[in-house]
């Protein structure tokens, strides 16, 4: 029976971000989950060391979330949001506005982080047209940024490995540098930050008249390797956006909902964006709901008689899905009831101490962390920071070894991602880091 399923998966599936030849060698089918663990079809358990790709909050099968979906199912699973609304989508909008930066008052739903970003980009573009500034059509994106895989999101993304092949399909955007302290020549966060802000300002001075908006991940660039921005960088970017009259799109898809020890990572720097894209943790990791939040000023630029043609002509079939919104509502409630953000902030300090042990391994170059968002960059030489050659696939081998030892995560190149569910206890963190340590140790012996 298990073998049959494996064969079916190999015969018919095509998995995201996966070389299927790798999958065929090491297939894995998950059947159950409970708390911070998932179980495969053979009954083997694994810690969910990456929150099922950065989204799980309360662990799997959280009773109150399960109940919220069941209760909603008793009423209706889905009706459209085109021209009308539904009960949980309406309630959730109010709750989202309450927990978001003060200036954000409007919620536009979609179903993934990428679509939340597409919406922000299209709204920013149309905003300037609607207010009579159609010359502002271009975007600034950050180097190594990642905002999802649809063409608009890819156009403001800049991870060569994923994006370069689609170059001819993308709209052009200007790229601004991001401070990657570990790989900077000075290694000094302040110097690195100021150099990047200076370059951004040069770009803005020259091009601001044609720029609609700048898009940036909030405090941590996730998909490029968990690169934590130095203090003051995000706030500095906000200041420059204000100074040069361009809109700021902050991507909180990975960082939102407590992940970094604040409800939204932009709160670390008191940044109020013009657009905030959220997804992943919004439903506690249960269902595909995402949202783009924006300001009253932006909303009003679209609000007019129909014949003025200012409507935002964008939507998706499942926009505002009731089951998703119902579970998201319960999730937001649980954040309050269980003081999730506060507990992440406290546990993250312990996590930081536990992670420090990893430096004892000679192939651990840099341990980066903000809250429950961590990246461990593996290097061939700790002293010189010499990277491993990509073709050795050290990160991938380490993640396979971790899987053997009972923990799932996915690497980014040679950076190991560690992002357990926010409900993970300190004891569980210790056990997970123990597995990571053993896997890095074993693989390093073979590779070096
Ligand atoms: N934005 C950021 C910062 C992300 O990390 C991701 C996914 O990892 C996305 C957008 C895309 O989200 P989704 O996979 O839900 O489209």
């Amino acid at each position: 029976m298990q073998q049959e399923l494996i064969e079916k998966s190999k015969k018919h599936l095509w998995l995201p971000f996966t070389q299927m030849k790798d999958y065929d060698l090491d297939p894995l089918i998950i059947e159950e989950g409970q708390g911070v663990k998932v179980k495969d079809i053979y009954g083997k358990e694994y810690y969910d060391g990456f929150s099922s790709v950065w989204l799980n909050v309360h662990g799997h099968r959280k009773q109150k979330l399960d109940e919220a979906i069941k209760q909603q199912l008793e009423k209706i699973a889905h009706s459209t949001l085109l021209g009308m609304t539904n009960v949980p989508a309406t309630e959730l909008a109010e709750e989202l506005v309450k927990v978001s930066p003060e200036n954000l008052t409007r919620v536009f739903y979609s179903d993934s982080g990428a679509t939340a970003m597409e919406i922000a980009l299209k709204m920013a573009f149309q905003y300037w047209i609607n207010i009579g500034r159609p010359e502002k059509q271009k975007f600034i994106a950050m180097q190594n940024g990642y905002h999802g895989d649809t063409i608009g999101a890819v156009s403001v993304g800049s991870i060569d490995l994923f994006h370069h092949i689609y170059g001819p399909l993308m709209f052009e955007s200007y790229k601004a540098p991001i401070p990657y302290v570990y790989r900077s020549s000075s290694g000094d966060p302040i110097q690195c930050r100021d150099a990047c802000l200076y370059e951004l300002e040069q770009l803005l001075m020259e091009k601001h008249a044609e720029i609609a908006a700048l898009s940036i991940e909030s405090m941590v660039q996730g998909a490029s390797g968990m690169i934590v921005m130095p203090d003051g960088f995000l706030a500095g970017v906000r200041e420059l956006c204000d100074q040069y009259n361009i809109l700021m799109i902050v991507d909180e898809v990975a960082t939102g909902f407590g992940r970094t020890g604040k409800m939204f990572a932009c709160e670390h720097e008191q940044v109020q964006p013009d657009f905030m894209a959220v997804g992943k943790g919004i439903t506690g990791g249960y269902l595909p709901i995402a949202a783009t939040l924006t300001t009253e000023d932006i909303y009003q630029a679209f609000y007019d008689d129909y014949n003025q043609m200012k409507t935002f002509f964008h939507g998706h079939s499942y926009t505002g899905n009731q089951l998703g919104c119902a579970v998201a509502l319960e999730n937001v409630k649980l954040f309050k009831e269980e003081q999730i953000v506060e507990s992440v902030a406290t546990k993250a300090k312990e996590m930081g101490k536990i992670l420090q042990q990893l430096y004892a391994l000679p192939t651990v170059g840099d341990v980066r962390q903000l809250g429950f968002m961590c990246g461990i960059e593996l290097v061939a030489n700790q002293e010189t920071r010499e990277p491993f050659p990509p073709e050795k696939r050290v990160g991938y081998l380490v993640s396979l070894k971790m899987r053997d030892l009972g923990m799932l995560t996915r690497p980014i190149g040679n950076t190991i991602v560690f992002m357990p569910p926010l409900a993970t206890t300190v004891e569980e963190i210790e056990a997970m880091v123990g597995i990571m340590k053993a896997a890095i140790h074993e693989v390093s012996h073979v590779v070096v």
Side-chain angles (χ1 to χ4, degrees):
M1 144 75 179
Q2 288 97 336
Q3 200 48 40
E4 237 174 77
L5 259 180
I6 298 273
E7 291 313 318
K8 277 185 206 170
S9 77
K10 288 185 179 181
K11 192 167 171 202
H12 297 298
L13 275 172
W14 190 346
L15 305 176
F17 274 102
T18 303
Q19 172 49 258
M20 291 307 287
K21 200 168 173 183
D22 287 343
Y23 175 80
D24 286 350
L25 288 174
D26 290 292
L28 174 63
I29 304 181
I30 299 299
E31 191 171 24
E32 287 177 38
Q34 182 68 57
V36 298
K37 286 187 173 174
V38 294
K39 202 191 268 185
D40 71 15
I41 49 173
Y42 294 101
K44 178 171 167 136
E45 289 191 330
Y46 310 84
Y47 283 112
D48 189 349
F50 66 154
S51 297
S52 297
V53 188
W54 319 359
L55 28 92
N56 194 282
V57 174
H58 310 280
H60 298 277
R61 299 194 60 205
K62 177 82 176 171
Q63 205 182 349
K64 286 192 171 171
L65 296 183
D66 294 3
E67 281 304 320
I69 295 175
K70 287 180 196 158
Q71 278 175 21
Q72 181 57 43
L73 255 184
E74 298 287 324
K75 296 180 185 144
I76 186 171
H78 181 77
S79 65
T80 185
L81 236 64
L82 271 63
M84 63 190 80
T85 180
N86 67 53
V87 178
T90 309
E91 305 272 14
L92 178 62
E94 184 188 35
E95 292 305 317
L96 290 177
V97 167
K98 274 191 208 157
V99 297
S100 296
E102 221 174 290
N103 64 326
L104 302 175
T105 57
R106 293 282 167 179
V107 178
F108 194 103
Y109 290 113
S110 58
D111 42 38
S112 71
T115 51
M117 281 301 296
E118 293 283 341
I119 287 160
L121 295 167
K122 286 174 74 178
M123 277 182 180
F125 182 86
Q126 192 176 338
Y127 166 80
W128 293 109
I129 293 171
N130 283 5
I131 67 162
R133 299 281 309 273
E135 73 283 6
K136 284 170 87 70
Q137 293 199 348
K138 292 270 186 349
F139 290 88
I140 296 181
M142 308 313 286
Q143 270 163 14
N144 295 323
Y146 177 77
H147 302 288
D149 300 320
T150 52
I151 294 299
V154 164
S155 299
V156 288
S158 140
I159 298 184
D160 229 33
L161 176 66
F162 308 157
H163 296 154
H164 89 275
I165 198 163
Y166 304 111
L169 293 180
M170 296 182 201
F171 60 77
E172 224 185 309
S173 64
Y174 296 111
K175 299 290 183 294
I178 197 90
Y180 184 178
V181 178
Y182 180 65
R183 293 269 167 224
S184 69
S185 51
S186 70
D188 177 58
I190 306 297
Q191 231 173 297
C192 191
R193 174 196 74 191
D194 291 348
C196 291
L197 287 174
Y198 176 79
E199 250 189 76
L200 174 60
E201 179 153 24
Q202 300 307 302
L203 176 61
L204 282 167
M205 267 197 256
E206 195 189 333
K207 305 283 185 192
H208 66 97
E210 58 179 273
I211 306 287
L214 171 147
S215 68
I216 184 167
E217 283 158 86
S218 194
M219 294 303 291
V220 185
Q221 275 196 329
S224 60
M226 302 296 150
I227 297 162
V228 182
M229 297 169 196
D231 289 348
F233 183 69
L234 196 73
V237 171
R238 173 74 269 188
E239 264 176 46
L240 289 172
C241 288
D242 284 342
Q243 195 179 330
Y244 289 93
N245 195 24
I246 69 168
L247 300 170
M248 184 184 194
I249 301 171
V250 167
D251 182 345
E252 291 268 2
V253 171
T255 50
F257 293 93
R259 178 55 63 184
T260 69
K262 298 277 184 192
M263 191 61 170
F264 297 103
C266 58
E267 292 169 32
H268 285 285
E269 308 233 313
Q270 292 85 44
V271 163
Q272 300 205 348
D274 299 295
F275 297 95
M276 184 169 86
V278 295
K280 293 193 186 279
I282 187 173
T283 61
Y286 266 55
L287 283 170
I289 291 283
T292 308
L293 282 83
T294 191
T295 64
E296 211 53 29
D297 177 46
I298 304 280
Y299 177 78
Q300 288 300 333
F302 291 73
Y303 192 88
D304 210 333
D305 294 332
Y306 180 81
N307 289 335
Q308 295 301 314
M309 287 298 142
K310 291 184 176 175
T311 305
F312 186 54
F313 290 110
H314 184 111
H316 301 280
S317 306
Y318 285 100
T319 293
N321 170 265
Q322 277 101 325
L323 292 178
C325 288
V327 73
L329 251 182
E330 186 59 33
N331 175 43
V332 176
K333 221 196 253 176
L334 282 174
F335 264 86
K336 266 184 255 161
E337 278 173 25
E338 299 189 1
Q339 303 199 316
I340 302 290
V341 176
E342 296 76 0
S343 87
V344 169
T346 311
K347 287 187 292 185
K349 289 194 187 121
E350 294 305 311
M351 187 189 276
K353 287 183 208 152
I354 297 164
L355 285 170
Q356 288 302 305
Q357 305 167 13
L358 296 175
Y359 280 118
L361 299 166
T363 50
V364 170
D366 194 23
V367 177
R368 299 185 276 272
Q369 180 197 6
L370 191 65
F372 265 40
M373 196 160 180
C374 315
I376 295 95
E377 185 168 335
L378 304 178
V379 289
N381 187 320
Q382 210 177 39
E383 285 283 297
T384 62
R385 305 185 175 190
E386 180 195 338
F388 278 115
E391 63 278 9
K392 287 205 170 177
R393 305 188 71 194
V394 175
Y396 179 67
L397 296 176
V398 169
S399 69
L400 274 186
K401 181 44 83 184
M402 282 196 272
R403 188 170 130 185
D404 266 2
L405 300 175
M407 175 159 106
L408 298 183
T409 183
R410 271 177 69 89
I412 297 164
N414 291 327
T415 296
I416 305 300
V417 169
F418 183 51
M419 282 177 72
L422 304 188
T424 309
T425 63
V426 174
E427 292 69 35
E428 287 164 337
I429 291 168
E430 265 168 354
M432 293 184 194
V433 175
I435 290 176
M436 208 185 321
K437 200 170 166 186
I440 296 170
H441 177 74
E442 269 196 50
V443 171
S444 304
H445 269 298
V446 181
V447 179
V448 176

